[in-house]
Amino acid sequence: MATTVINTIVSTKELHFQPGGVPASFEVTVVNGSDRFASFQVELVAAGAAADRNGDWYSISPTASSKKPPGAATQFQISILNTPVPGFVGMMNIRVRVFSMELPDETREILRLVVERGTGLIALQLELPVKQFQINPGSRIEVPVRVSNPGQLLSNALLTEVAIDPRWLPLSGERRLQVPPGKSVETTFTYQAPFGATAPSQAYPFIIEATHNNGPASQVSGSLELMPMGFVEFTSTPKQRTIPSKLGWKFWQSDPVTYSLEAKNASNLPQEATLEMAGDNSVECNLTLIPEASAIAPEETVEFLLTASKKRPWFGRSRKLLLDLTGIWSDPRVDTRNERQTLELVVKPVLPLAVQLLGGLFLLYLLWWLSWLNSKNPFFGHNEPVNTVKFNGVGERLISGSNDQTIIEWNIPGFFNPIVNQEMQRFPNKGNRLGQWLTRPFQNRTNCQSPGCSDLLAEKAVRVVQYRPVNNNWVATGLENGEIHFWNLTEKRPDPFHSFVYQRDDRVFALEFTQDSRSLFSGHGSGTVLQWDLRDLERTDSNLGARVSNLKEFNFAVYALKFVGNDDRILAVAGQLNQLILWNWQTQTETVVPYRGGGKDAYINSLDTAEFNPNLLATADNQGYITLWNMQPCLNGGSDCQRIQQWNDGHNGQPVRSVALSEDGCYLVSGGDDGRVMLWPLNIDGSRALSQGEQIIRAKNKNFNSVDLKEVGDHLLIAAGSDNQQEVRVESHPRLPNLGCDVP
């Protein structure tokens, strides 16, 4: 026979209960009939009751017993609080179930419950199948509500929405229902969410209240979550501003400009907005945003003011700066429009472009006018007649002297390339020409130390210049006042490093170095020819300057000097009265070379010999004659000098001021008062190779006072110094080897 381990005793077999009255109670005693400790629980199950109501119509105390030893008893107090089946009247069976977690057995006892007609008011029961809803602004949603009548009478119920804004209820906020006893009825409430500031996105609680004639009111609540909807955007008006915004008499000022930016919140979310500067150009401007940030309610628009300032340049074109702005919104759950704004800031220069162009043209004109490109530039080149020009030994430099009391060293490539400045340096070097004009009234002292030298650098016309043959780094100049100056071309000094004079106001017309550069011969207007000993000039330990070591008086004004022959013994002296004399300065003997007769106004202006053929002599006079001589027969006094050829049609019978021979004696160049520089190719014997010379330079109303000739590569360089326009010209001409003399 099986042994029962749980013994259950129910205090009554039948129990009466009247809803709305006093709860009906009974006891259940449970005895532990097992051989172990055990705890016990009691559960009531009513026939016909809904499963979810198993615990809400009765109460048990205690809900569970502590563990009891074998044979111990536990007493449970059970009260019936409500009818298990709403609206039921009559008898129903209640099953009392006792069980233990420690024991495998359980017991069941049957209790008959007599439910009588109730005497109190019973509230309707409200239920929401779904308590939380999401809704978009402007859309509708149906919220189902279930109404249950637990009473035993028919209820006329009124359901009312009591919490939410009536504008959310497009149909009605009330529902009337008849709910039979013990039955449930369902209905719905229609909600439509508004859009805009009145309904920002958030959770909105709603409460449905039920009232009826048979009991108190009851409520049920839920929530409607209004979803974010709409957009936010930035707009700017205008998108372009210009500095300055308007022109005034203070045209140089750069007043700031202001952009208006509107932040529009066309959503149902409260926002906080600001603008972030971006882009490379943003750092170039001073930008100020007012306000820096702003709270914007739904359907509200706020204005931001962006002030931009930028210092204007004086020159250049208008500059367009792009200011990139990015709108920052605090809640990004809605559509963001025009998030990036690009503003244009046009910064105009202080001087308008037209003024700049005119100023630029004026500046270009001024630069041109002040540059070597302008032949009439008073600050460039000579500004008075040029009396003398001389190439250096290799033909890359040229020196010129003028009545403007200066000598200029020229860069030969500059005469053929306009972007290269021809003028290298000027002596006296007193800075710019304007400075020379300003200092012209003042005199500069030299380091003259020898007796008879010039104490002051007199500002007189330069009549003749001559390179020192050794190194070509010194230049000797003869002045109108009789002074002779020595300039060092490698030193940047404002005055000559040596200056001397034999007799004041005795003009120096000619200078000639010996080949060893130890002596310098000077020819003067008085007829004096002086030999200057230069050996002390290079001695740093000597306090002496140039000394007169030889003197010869001629009865005519000396205009030209030139050594002839293979050594420096014989000096050709020419000048007034068409005199041409060969002076042996070592033996102090003279040889008169027969020349065309002439009065006191007849002059031999120029002499030159060929470096590699020193017996070939060229002369030019103011009657327009050019003469070529072979001096070999008369150098030792045995015979007359041989006149090779003479002509006066080269310059239309006008005075020939200067002649120059090439080093090999194959070319002769001449310049005269007819405004022409002529090239004469020669034969090996010194005669003209062509019956007519070639015109190299033609300038109307110009007198060419000096010419020089140099063979460089396969070209001839021809230099000329003019009178009326104070200019120095250098031209290039190809050599003519086909004529037989200039053979490679």
Side-chain angles (χ1 to χ4, degrees):
M1 183 174 180
T3 301
T4 302
V5 297
I6 300 175
N7 299 317
T8 302
I9 302 171
V10 179
S11 62
T12 182
K13 294 295 184 180
E14 183 176 294
L15 187 65
H16 289 260
F17 172 69
Q18 186 178 29
V22 178
S25 301
F26 65 98
E27 295 179 357
V28 176
T29 302
V30 180
V31 179
N32 184 3
S34 68
D35 59 355
R36 70 188 71 172
F37 280 82
S39 61
F40 301 95
Q41 291 178 317
V42 177
E43 181 183 48
L44 302 185
V45 180
D52 58 356
R53 296 205 64 203
N54 281 341
D56 64 350
W57 55 273
Y58 65 91
S59 66
I60 300 176
S61 179
T63 55
S65 72
S66 59
K67 287 186 178 182
K68 299 291 184 178
T74 301
Q75 191 175 60
F76 292 91
Q77 295 290 332
I78 301 174
S79 298
I80 304 300
L81 305 176
N82 204 347
T83 177
V85 179
F88 177 81
V89 177
M91 182 182 291
M92 66 172 61
N93 289 333
I94 302 297
R95 185 171 66 244
V96 180
R97 176 175 173 260
V98 180
F99 60 94
S100 174
M101 299 299 293
E102 291 79 22
L103 302 175
D105 201 3
E106 67 176 36
T107 61
R108 295 179 177 86
E109 298 291 336
I110 299 300
L111 171 69
R112 290 187 297 275
L113 179 64
V114 179
V115 180
E116 300 174 355
R117 186 174 297 275
T119 61
L121 299 177
I122 301 175
L124 296 176
Q125 296 178 351
L126 298 178
E127 181 184 358
L128 295 175
V130 179
K131 291 190 175 184
Q132 294 181 346
F133 299 86
Q134 290 182 339
I135 184 172
N136 291 321
S139 63
R140 292 188 179 188
I141 190 171
E142 301 290 335
V143 176
V145 181
R146 182 181 298 119
V147 183
S148 299
N149 182 5
Q152 299 169 338
L153 301 175
L154 177 67
S155 292
N156 292 316
L158 174 63
L159 275 63
T160 306
E161 166 60 65
V162 296
I164 207 161
D165 193 317
R167 287 175 292 183
W168 286 62
L169 302 167
L171 300 180
S172 174
E174 294 181 345
R175 298 288 186 273
R176 294 187 180 275
L177 302 173
Q178 282 189 345
V179 185
K183 301 295 182 181
S184 297
V185 177
E186 289 191 359
T187 186
T188 59
F189 279 80
T190 302
Y191 294 89
Q192 183 174 15
F195 181 84
T198 58
S201 175
Q202 63 184 37
Y204 290 87
F206 66 89
I207 299 175
I208 298 174
E209 183 180 73
T211 59
H212 68 120
N213 55 345
N214 294 327
S218 58
Q219 292 182 342
V220 68
S221 63
S223 67
L224 294 173
E225 183 182 0
L226 185 58
M227 302 303 293
M229 190 173 183
F231 64 91
V232 289
E233 69 173 344
F234 276 100
T235 57
S236 60
T237 54
K239 288 185 176 293
Q240 185 186 77
R241 289 290 193 185
T242 301
I243 297 179
S245 57
K246 61 180 180 179
L247 295 178
W249 67 274
K250 293 184 178 180
F251 62 91
W252 61 88
Q253 291 186 343
S254 304
D255 295 330
V257 295
T258 301
Y259 298 87
S260 175
L261 298 108
E262 289 187 348
K264 181 180 180 181
N265 184 5
S267 73
N268 59 354
L269 287 174
Q271 296 279 358
E272 183 171 324
T274 186
L275 286 164
E276 183 180 81
M277 313 299 172
D280 296 336
N281 291 330
S282 299
V283 298
E284 298 186 23
C285 305
N286 294 322
L287 301 177
T288 303
L289 183 65
I290 302 175
E292 293 184 357
S294 178
I296 310 176
E299 293 188 337
E300 185 179 35
T301 300
V302 172
E303 182 182 32
F304 287 86
L305 297 179
L306 179 66
T307 301
S309 61
K310 171 74 175 172
K311 187 176 181 180
R312 297 161 61 199
W314 279 87
F315 304 100
R317 300 178 61 185
S318 296
R319 186 179 178 189
K320 181 184 292 185
L321 302 178
L322 299 180
L323 308 179
D324 293 331
L325 307 177
T326 301
I328 306 298
W329 297 91
S330 59
D331 196 330
R333 290 182 294 166
V334 292
D335 183 23
T336 302
R337 300 180 182 178
N338 301 324
E339 182 180 9
R340 297 181 62 87
Q341 293 286 321
T342 300
L343 307 179
E344 291 183 2
L345 178 62
V346 179
V347 182
K348 292 185 176 181
V350 175
L351 297 179
L353 186 58
V355 175
Q356 294 182 57
L357 291 176
L358 291 176
L361 292 176
F362 175 76
L363 181 60
L364 289 176
Y365 172 77
L366 183 62
L367 293 175
W368 170 85
W369 190 80
L370 294 173
S371 74
W372 62 90
L373 302 175
N374 178 17
S375 61
K376 297 182 180 180
N377 179 4
F379 306 111
F380 175 82
H382 295 293
N383 54 20
E384 291 188 28
V386 178
N387 296 319
T388 176
V389 293
K390 283 292 179 181
F391 283 111
N392 70 351
V394 295
E396 63 180 2
R397 301 286 186 267
L398 178 75
I399 201 79
S400 63
S402 167
N403 283 355
D404 65 3
Q405 305 156 17
T406 65
I407 62 173
I408 297 176
E409 186 181 21
W410 303 87
N411 185 17
I412 298 303
F415 287 93
F416 305 103
N417 187 347
I419 66 174
V420 176
N421 188 355
Q422 305 105 310
E423 185 175 317
M424 295 184 61
Q425 53 184 336
R426 179 187 301 272
F427 304 94
N429 183 11
K430 302 175 185 178
N432 56 34
R433 180 66 63 83
L434 181 60
Q436 295 181 27
W437 283 8
L438 295 176
T439 58
R440 179 171 292 182
F442 304 96
Q443 294 176 313
N444 297 323
R445 290 191 173 273
T446 70
N447 62 349
C448 169
Q449 296 172 344
S450 63
C453 73
S454 173
D455 291 333
L456 295 174
L457 176 59
E459 303 241 348
K460 294 296 182 179
V462 178
R463 302 296 305 183
V464 61
V465 296
Q466 196 69 258
Y467 277 102
R468 183 175 76 155
V470 176
N471 297 330
N472 283 179
N473 58 337
W474 291 1
V475 170
T477 62
L479 304 187
E480 185 78 17
N481 67 342
E483 294 183 11
I484 298 174
H485 295 165
F486 271 82
W487 302 89
N488 191 331
L489 300 180
T490 62
E491 294 181 358
K492 302 293 184 181
R493 52 184 298 165
D495 52 5
F497 71 95
H498 280 289
S499 178
F500 42 87
V501 63
Y502 180 74
Q503 183 176 344
R504 291 287 181 188
D505 298 327
D506 189 4
R507 291 181 294 177
V508 181
F509 285 116
L511 294 173
E512 184 73 1
F513 281 97
T514 57
Q515 289 300 311
D516 59 9
S517 298
R518 294 183 176 183
S519 296
L520 173 70
F521 288 83
S522 61
H524 298 261
S526 64
T528 303
V529 176
L530 300 171
Q531 180 184 6
W532 299 88
D533 188 347
L534 307 178
R535 286 175 292 181
D536 288 334
L537 296 185
E538 293 187 0
R539 294 175 54 189
T540 58
D541 59 344
S542 174
N543 293 326
L544 299 177
R547 296 179 291 107
V548 176
S549 61
N550 203 345
L551 183 150
K552 178 67 176 176
E553 297 285 352
F554 293 92
N555 60 354
F556 59 89
V558 176
Y559 274 74
L561 299 175
K562 197 67 182 178
F563 282 111
V564 295
N566 293 320
D567 51 32
D568 292 337
R569 294 181 302 105
I570 308 299
L571 183 66
V573 182
Q576 192 179 22
L577 305 175
N578 282 350
Q579 292 291 313
L580 177 59
I581 295 177
L582 301 181
W583 175 42
N584 188 326
W585 57 273
Q586 293 182 347
T587 63
Q588 295 295 323
T589 58
E590 302 177 22
T591 300
V592 177
V593 179
Y595 197 82
R596 297 177 53 257
K600 63 177 181 178
D601 294 329
Y603 296 86
I604 297 177
N605 295 316
S606 179
L607 300 175
D608 198 23
T609 59
E611 182 180 353
F612 304 139
N613 185 10
N615 295 323
L616 179 63
L617 177 69
T619 64
D621 60 39
N622 64 350
Q623 287 83 47
Y625 284 90
I626 299 174
T627 308
L628 293 169
W629 305 81
N630 179 9
M631 308 302 290
Q632 177 64 36
C634 59
L635 290 182
N636 297 321
S639 304
D640 293 336
C641 298
Q642 178 187 358
R643 188 170 67 184
I644 300 172
Q645 195 171 8
Q646 185 179 73
W647 66 94
N648 69 342
D649 58 350
H651 291 274
N652 299 320
Q654 297 189 46
V656 180
R657 300 293 178 183
S658 179
V659 289
L661 285 166
S662 61
E663 295 95 325
D664 56 6
C666 293
Y667 303 95
L668 173 71
V669 66
S670 62
D673 286 0
D674 64 341
R676 294 192 301 163
V677 174
M678 302 293 294
L679 176 65
W680 309 90
L682 304 180
N683 295 314
I684 296 177
D685 61 358
S687 62
R688 287 191 296 178
L690 301 174
S691 59
Q692 297 292 328
E694 182 178 353
Q695 178 179 292
I696 301 301
I697 302 175
R698 175 71 171 121
K700 187 177 181 181
N701 298 325
K702 287 186 179 181
N703 300 328
F704 286 101
N705 298 322
S706 179
V707 295
D708 199 11
L709 178 63
K710 182 65 67 175
E711 294 174 331
V712 179
D714 58 354
H715 280 71
L716 302 173
L717 292 178
I718 302 166
S722 67
D723 191 347
N724 295 341
Q725 297 300 319
Q726 307 95 36
E727 71 174 345
V728 174
R729 296 277 298 272
V730 176
E731 300 291 339
S732 177
H733 190 281
R735 297 169 71 165
L736 304 171
N738 58 314
L739 297 181
C741 179
D742 185 12
V743 178

